[in-house]
Amino acid sequence: MSYGFKIIVEGEYALFTRPEMKVERVSYDVPTVSAMEGLIKSVYWKPAIRIVIDKIIVFNPIKFINIRRNEIKTKIAQRNVTSQINGKGSPEIYASETRSQRAGMLLKDVKYGVDFHFELTGNKSDHADESEEKHYNIMLRRLRNGQCFRQPCLGCREFSVSMIELVDEFDLTQVDPSLVGDTDLGYMLYGMKFADGGKPINNDWDEPKFSDEADPMYYRPHMIDGVIDVAKYREGIIC
């Protein structure tokens, strides 16, 4: 049995932020691997499995649009939330006092194909029936039924996916002619390598504590006729 999946996702807008832009948000031309992993985890994920992206296909022409958005400059501190739980203090943030307007360069009218599989991690595998087939069937059912436990998004939470479709094969004839050829995408963020390796540093899955320490991983993919062979360029990851 094959434990891989092919899905097509569409959205009105997408934003895969370049980390080198400090204040204003500017998107990469194509999706990052970590963004696609996050999208799939919104459908189904457990500590026992790891999502692995194999290919990303860009179908629509790459179009950008500039917008301005209201954002909050601060976030609620965890200690303030804990204080309120204990009956002390208040963790509210007043948007009118901390609002900041920022520009963003987004992608518009996007359609991507994502070829992925999962691997067992051995983390929190307490059930006797823990197997690849079990997770495959759960993922398959949820994709077929359009189920998710949180709204899948394209980079940023406010840019929701409008459609996810499970397919047997990708129709590469639908790739826009403007994407034909070999395009060097330069160095792109692949993902974050966390120091804890996905395991609680206190070895307690009931009340887990994870490390926030992480190093960015970069890779340099090429897009050939709209297809990014992630598995091929993953060998050149720089951390």
Side-chain angles (χ1 to χ4, degrees):
M1 178 181 290
S2 171
Y3 296 102
F5 299 88
K6 292 181 175 65
I7 60 173
I8 291 178
V9 298
E10 296 183 16
E12 186 176 2
Y13 299 106
L15 175 55
F16 309 107
T17 309
R18 291 179 176 270
E20 63 267 29
M21 303 300 179
K22 301 299 183 181
V23 178
E24 311 298 347
R25 297 181 185 271
V26 178
S27 179
Y28 283 112
D29 291 11
V30 299
T32 60
V33 174
S34 55
M36 295 297 97
E37 288 177 358
L39 185 152
I40 295 163
K41 288 178 180 178
S42 297
V43 176
Y44 175 70
W45 177 80
K46 294 288 184 181
I49 64 173
R50 178 189 299 111
I51 304 298
V52 181
I53 307 297
D54 296 311
K55 289 183 180 179
I56 297 174
I57 293 86
V58 181
F59 286 100
N60 289 352
I62 298 172
K63 297 185 294 185
F64 287 95
I65 182 173
N66 285 304
I67 66 169
R68 298 193 71 85
R69 301 182 298 166
N70 290 326
E71 298 185 3
I72 302 300
K73 295 185 290 185
T74 59
K75 62 180 181 180
I76 298 176
Q78 183 178 354
R79 62 178 180 274
N80 293 346
V81 176
T82 304
S83 296
Q84 188 183 44
I85 293 175
N86 296 328
K88 302 176 183 178
S90 177
E92 291 94 346
I93 288 180
Y94 296 98
S96 59
E97 298 176 0
T98 60
R99 183 183 295 119
S100 176
Q101 192 173 77
R102 294 179 178 175
M105 182 177 285
L106 322 179
L107 292 166
K108 182 180 180 182
D109 298 329
V110 298
K111 178 180 179 181
Y112 304 119
V114 185
D115 185 349
F116 71 96
H117 70 279
F118 61 82
E119 300 172 350
L120 296 181
T121 63
N123 293 339
K124 202 179 179 182
S125 300
D126 302 328
H127 302 287
D129 62 343
E130 199 79 54
S131 66
E132 291 184 345
E133 185 175 359
K134 170 188 174 181
H135 293 292
Y136 171 84
N137 288 326
I138 295 174
M139 177 75 81
L140 184 64
R141 181 175 67 249
R142 293 182 69 84
L143 286 171
R144 283 176 173 171
N145 296 338
Q147 296 174 305
C148 59
F149 70 89
R150 65 184 180 195
Q151 178 61 42
C153 63
L154 292 161
C156 287
R157 185 169 294 180
E158 59 264 46
F159 305 125
S160 300
V161 170
S162 60
M163 187 274 288
I164 298 180
E165 179 184 3
L166 180 67
V167 297
D168 294 325
E169 295 294 338
F170 296 121
D171 183 3
L172 297 182
T173 62
Q174 295 184 10
V175 173
D176 190 81
S178 65
L179 303 175
V180 174
D182 186 339
T183 304
D184 185 350
L185 298 170
Y187 284 102
M188 293 185 62
L189 181 69
Y190 182 89
M192 303 298 292
K193 184 178 181 180
F194 285 87
D196 55 32
K199 299 179 181 180
I201 56 178
N202 60 349
N203 294 317
D204 185 356
W205 281 104
D206 295 325
E207 297 183 4
K209 293 182 180 180
F210 295 96
S211 170
D212 289 332
E213 295 182 12
D215 294 316
M217 298 184 294
Y218 295 89
Y219 78 136
R220 188 168 184 172
H222 284 235
M223 180 172 64
I224 300 176
D225 297 336
V227 179
I228 304 170
D229 191 341
V230 177
K232 174 182 176 181
Y233 296 104
R234 188 159 42 229
E235 300 174 356
I237 284 180
I238 299 174
C239 185

